[in-house]
Amino acid sequence: MLHIVACIKQVPDTKIIKMNPKTNTMDRRTAPAILNPYDAHAVEEAVRLKNRYGGIVSVVTMGPPPAVTAIKKCIEIGADEGYLITDRRFAGADTLATSYAVTKAIEKIAKTKPVDLIICGKMSIDGDTGQVGPGIARRLDIPPLTSVNKVVEINQNEGYAIVHRKLEDGYEVVRSTMPCLFSVEKTINEVPYSPLPNMIKAARYNPHIWSVDDLEEVDVKQLGLKGSPTIVSKVWAPQKPAGGTFFEGNPTSQVEQLLSVLLQKKELFETKEGV
Amino acid sequence: MDFQDYKGVWVFIEQKDGVVASVSLELLGAGRKLADKRGVELAGILIGENVKHLTNTVFEFGADTMYVYDQPIFKHYRTETYMKALLECADKHKPEIILFGATSTGKDLASAVATDLPTGLTADTTELDVEEETGLLLASRPAFGGNIMATILCKKYRPQMATVRAKVMKALTPQSGRTGKMVEETISLKEEDIRTKVLEIVKETVKNVRIDEADIIVAGGKGLGSFEGFQLIHQLAETLGGAVGASRDVVEAGWIDHAHQVGQTGVTVTPKIYFAIGISGAIQHIVGMKNSGLIIAINKDKEAPIFQTCHYGIVGDAFEIVPILIEQFKMALTRDKVNK
Ligand SMILES: Cc1cc2nc3c(=O)[nH]c(=O)nc-3n(C[C@H](O)[C@H](O)[C@H](O)COP(=O)(O)OP(=O)(O)OC[C@H]3O[C@@H](n4cnc5c(N)ncnc54)[C@H](O)[C@@H]3O)c2cc1C
Ligand SMILES: Cc1cc2nc3c(=O)[nH]c(=O)nc-3n(C[C@H](O)[C@H](O)[C@H](O)COP(=O)(O)OP(=O)(O)OC[C@H]3O[C@@H](n4cnc5c(N)ncnc54)[C@H](O)[C@@H]3O)c2cc1C
């Protein structure tokens, strides 16, 4: 029986996000909170492994109370248990402080049942760092396997996993001892629509909610803003570049004007064969 | 923590099959500027098997010192082994700044190392500067899917670390014959103690489209309407001898493979000429192509944001404009050949 913990995060939907042009800040009201899309794939992979090998899937997140919604979404996907760690003292965490807090939660979850595998998304769509997964792995002193694109085999008896890690020009097949941590690519699976029974279960499900005081042996100095070495000092909207020159006239004449510009800049074509 | 003990700027030199990653050479250029501003040394740190010969390249691109770990255990990149070497070296020589390429390897390694040190790590930096007096690294990066830029500081810890996007910094022109000091390091690691093994490396040549190396890119967007419509992009690219690029929406529609995607979650490109055809110019696309030499946009909507970023714009229907462009180009090229 595998115990897989998937780490998830609730994020503002960056597709819909609007910037306030006056203050250069994000207008959070316009951005609905969603389950980080990469994490949906992490949970889906955990559920698939559970179905293949038997076991249970727990999800854990650090976030504000509304993050319960993201946990419910994971129950819909097929997770069994959800844990939210929420406390004002977690606020303002960078990746170092986030990985610390989430690790403390995983250690506590492991007390109910030892954890064999941790799965994270490749990155979040708001912070976009991809640093939390490897951070958790280091803190637990287990191997981090990033860019996982396929899980070939989990052998619990002999205590190893074999995966494909995506590389810039292909992939590598890696074997690791377990427990270990994967952070997964979106291409690892497709998340199907949730079956109705899961949706009903999710609607009724109440996650475990822990504050800092519920965790064990926590060094409060390593949490939240206090425990974060990085500081966001300035935030601004990316500069809008000045516009280009439009060609005038009918299509043929516009193309001719473009061509004469390009052909004047022959050096642009120099290294290209055939031109 | 006494900051006085920490000196120098380091660049992690990523290599594969005996070739230095171009992002590492770009970082040497960026690192050189930071080191000069601080009046300190620029060092490269190189880890691998049979890699010593790469030191010359690194010196030519601006490093003063090279720390080299050349041992069989480093044949393949593994977080555990590389991390241990880097941690040991950083502990011994105490750099004030370490830069990594924001590649999958660079990000993996940097995140692990930063956790163990521990220190702050700024992700996917696109602008770098340093305060001359304090040595404080000013690392700026896009966040929220490119909707905002943020400057990240690490005031209380050393070293300061950042991963830096490929293609946003400029490599220096290599100075042939320039040399420096090579420091050979070794670490005692036993293969039996390493928990991960690379069983096989599979190259996928079909998907290996290197649009980041193309001089001309013809990129198409959702405005092409369909897979069939998108073939127009292939035709123009072929005529110009260029590579095909695409917006994310095109990739998601399945008209072309992800390897062709330009932008925030795709590839950053810097061709000499970039055609953006039927692409609206969302910020996530712009960040991936804005440093192209010459940007030409074709879009039927005069208000499309892409026109803010291009050098030359044609307002019109791609299905009308592009065929004329192909025809005229072919004519111009033959005329040109005849003239020669
Ligand atoms: C504008 C801006 C820029 C920032 N830049 C940096 C920076 O450069 N460096 C830095 O250290 N911090 C940075 N941060 C802070 C960072 O976004 C937060 O620390 C965040 O909590 C975790 O990082 P991430 O969102 O990048 O996660 P990622 O590392 O991208 O997430 C990867 C995976 O980790 C897991 N995970 C992430 N967060 C949680 C969570 N709260 N609970 C459970 N699992 C989780 C998920 O599986 C997720 O898919 C920045 C924040 C802002 C607002
Ligand atoms: C976190 C995040 C990451 C992202 N990463 C990327 C990324 O890496 N790369 C990327 O590209 N996008 C990315 N996106 C998506 C991005 O926000 C846009 O949705 C996408 O770039 C739009 O693609 P498009 O321009 O092809 O399509 P659209 O926005 O639909 O634009 C189509 C354009 O074609 C024009 N058009 C229509 N018909 C014609 C015609 N016949 N002739 C000429 N013009 C015509 C229209 O006027 C319009 O401007 C990301 C989004 C998020 C949230």
Side-chain angles (χ1 to χ4, degrees):
Chain A
M1 290 279 277
L2 280 173
H3 185 194
I4 307 173
V5 173
C7 301
I8 64 141
K9 183 182 181 186
Q10 192 178 49
V11 295
D13 190 344
T14 47
K15 262 194 179 154
I16 302 169
I17 221 162
K18 294 240 164 27
M19 298 301 292
N20 179 332
K22 287 206 184 93
T23 59
N24 277 345
T25 53
M26 186 185 51
D27 191 349
R28 281 186 185 266
R29 283 162 308 171
T30 58
I34 55 169
L35 171 64
N36 178 31
Y38 289 92
D39 298 348
H41 294 278
V43 177
E44 172 68 18
E45 196 58 27
V47 170
R48 287 183 188 207
L49 292 174
K50 168 180 88 167
N51 294 341
R52 195 157 131 199
Y53 296 104
I56 63 161
V57 173
S58 304
V59 299
V60 60
T61 190
M62 176 187 82
V68 163
T69 324
I71 293 184
K72 286 185 177 249
K73 180 72 204 166
C74 300
I75 303 286
E76 275 184 25
I77 297 173
D80 302 288
E81 294 289 344
Y83 299 84
L84 168 65
I85 56 166
T86 187
D87 196 306
R88 295 276 275 281
R89 286 171 281 178
F90 292 132
D94 72 355
T95 60
L96 196 72
T98 301
S99 69
Y100 179 70
V102 175
T103 299
K104 287 290 156 191
I106 294 173
E107 281 170 353
K108 175 152 175 168
I109 296 168
K111 292 223 160 129
T112 55
K113 187 172 173 12
V115 174
D116 305 292
L117 183 64
I118 298 169
I119 308 189
C120 290
K122 178 198 175 86
M123 61 183 189
S124 74
I125 61 165
D126 59 344
D128 282 344
T129 67
Q131 293 171 183
V132 172
I136 294 171
R138 279 312 305 149
R139 291 183 181 282
L140 291 168
D141 192 22
I142 60 174
L145 299 160
T146 51
S147 308
V148 170
N149 216 356
K150 182 179 177 168
V151 180
V152 180
E153 185 191 351
I154 300 273
N155 189 325
Q156 219 185 346
N157 286 338
E158 293 178 40
Y160 68 81
I162 297 178
V163 300
H164 289 182
R165 285 186 69 229
K166 186 171 172 271
L167 303 174
E168 263 84 11
D169 55 356
Y171 63 91
E172 63 179 19
V173 187
V174 189
R175 177 190 156 127
S176 169
T177 58
M178 287 213 297
C180 53
L181 179 143
F182 304 159
S183 44
V184 299
E185 299 281 331
K186 267 188 169 177
T187 42
I188 193 167
N189 57 40
E190 273 180 37
V191 185
Y193 286 106
S194 306
L196 191 63
N198 286 18
M199 293 175 78
I200 295 168
K201 188 180 165 203
R204 294 187 184 146
Y205 184 76
N206 289 315
H208 308 261
I209 296 180
W210 292 337
S211 73
V212 171
D213 301 323
D214 295 313
L215 301 175
E216 283 150 38
E217 291 173 40
V218 180
D219 174 10
V220 185
K221 287 195 296 297
Q222 293 191 50
L223 296 174
L225 201 57
K226 238 192 257 167
S228 296
T230 65
I231 304 159
V232 179
S233 82
K234 195 171 89 181
V235 169
W236 74 93
Q239 218 183 5
K240 281 228 175 103
T245 313
F246 285 111
F247 298 113
E248 306 287 336
N250 65 27
T252 309
S253 134
Q254 291 191 41
V255 168
E256 280 169 353
Q257 293 169 56
L258 170 62
L259 233 64
S260 74
V261 168
L262 289 180
L263 294 175
Q264 274 164 26
K265 306 194 183 208
K266 282 242 185 57
E267 71 281 3
L268 293 172
F269 295 90
E270 260 165 15
T271 57
K272 217 64 231 174
E273 279 176 280
V275 175
Chain B
M1 178 168 265
D2 194 352
F3 287 5
Q4 297 298 322
D5 300 344
Y6 291 80
K7 273 207 179 64
V9 177
W10 283 15
V11 172
F12 170 67
I13 305 298
E14 188 173 333
Q15 57 78 31
K16 202 150 121 207
D17 306 330
V19 181
V20 177
S22 47
V23 64
S24 303
L25 302 177
E26 293 156 23
L27 288 190
L28 286 169
R32 187 70 263 167
K33 283 193 200 125
L34 303 180
D36 289 345
K37 219 167 155 183
R38 285 286 288 152
V40 295
E41 271 200 345
L42 174 68
I45 171 155
L46 175 67
I47 305 169
E49 186 195 26
N50 299 327
V51 291
K52 233 178 278 173
H53 64 283
L54 298 174
T55 37
N56 283 339
T57 312
V58 178
F59 290 138
E60 287 176 359
F61 277 87
D64 304 309
T65 302
M66 271 299 278
Y67 299 104
V68 184
Y69 288 83
D70 196 331
Q71 294 173 239
I73 198 146
F74 299 123
K75 180 174 179 11
H76 297 299
Y77 171 78
R78 286 177 292 176
T79 321
E80 242 178 319
T81 53
Y82 274 56
M83 178 195 78
K84 288 196 166 128
L86 222 157
L87 283 171
E88 192 182 274
C89 202
D91 188 49
K92 201 157 140 192
H93 304 287
K94 300 200 168 23
E96 55 182 302
I97 293 171
I98 315 180
L99 306 176
F100 300 76
T103 57
S104 34
T105 297
K107 296 183 81 157
D108 183 286
L109 179 61
S111 316
V113 169
T115 312
D116 273 60
L117 278 169
T119 192
L121 172 60
T122 305
D124 281 303
T125 308
T126 56
E127 290 171 32
L128 279 175
D129 202 356
V130 68
E131 268 180 22
E132 217 169 305
E133 295 297 299
T134 59
L136 190 62
L137 183 70
L138 313 170
S140 303
R141 57 166 309 222
F144 294 106
N147 289 294
I148 62 166
M149 288 289 295
T151 304
I152 314 281
L153 313 176
C154 173
K155 286 187 175 161
K156 298 198 185 120
Y157 294 76
R158 290 293 179 274
Q160 307 167 85
M161 297 196 1
T163 62
V164 184
R165 275 224 145 191
K167 298 273 177 182
V168 293
M169 310 280 158
K170 279 224 165 62
L172 301 172
T173 315
Q175 268 176 272
S176 100
R178 188 181 181 282
T179 65
K181 184 175 75 178
M182 174 156 99
V183 183
E184 283 189 65
E185 303 274 2
T186 49
I187 184 167
S188 56
L189 286 177
K190 283 205 238 51
E191 187 57 53
E192 315 79 271
D193 298 334
I194 308 302
R195 295 171 293 181
T196 50
K197 309 262 171 281
V198 176
L199 305 178
E200 194 187 350
I201 292 188
V202 182
K203 300 242 177 210
E204 285 181 326
T205 37
V206 209
K207 282 192 184 156
N208 186 10
V209 203
R210 299 300 304 262
I211 53 169
D212 57 339
E213 284 167 7
D215 285 327
I216 301 177
I217 294 178
V218 182
K222 215 50 201 292
L224 278 308
S226 63
F227 175 83
E228 288 70 33
F230 194 78
Q231 300 315 303
L232 197 57
I233 299 298
H234 288 280
Q235 287 165 23
L236 179 58
E238 203 172 304
T239 312
L240 299 178
V244 173
S247 71
R248 185 171 86 168
D249 288 18
V250 162
V251 172
E252 287 192 346
W255 303 349
I256 201 165
D257 192 79
H258 180 260
H260 294 267
Q261 183 182 316
V262 173
Q264 165 105 356
T265 45
V267 183
T268 305
V269 297
T270 49
K272 294 178 179 171
I273 308 180
Y274 189 87
F275 283 89
I277 303 175
I279 292 178
S280 59
I283 181 76
Q284 296 89 355
H285 189 83
I286 302 291
V287 293
M289 46 64 86
K290 64 168 192 246
N291 292 331
S292 303
L294 192 68
I295 300 169
I296 298 154
I298 302 173
N299 196 302
K300 69 177 183 191
D301 174 9
K302 194 171 195 308
E303 301 297 319
I306 189 75
F307 287 128
Q308 298 290 315
T309 304
C310 72
H311 298 93
Y312 296 101
I314 294 182
V315 180
D317 185 336
F319 294 100
E320 192 176 353
I321 307 285
V322 178
I324 303 176
L325 191 56
I326 292 174
E327 185 195 338
Q328 297 260 355
F329 230 104
K330 280 187 178 155
M331 268 165 51
L333 291 174
T334 28
R335 208 168 44 229
D336 210 40
K337 278 204 188 108
V338 174
N339 288 348
K340 267 182 200 160

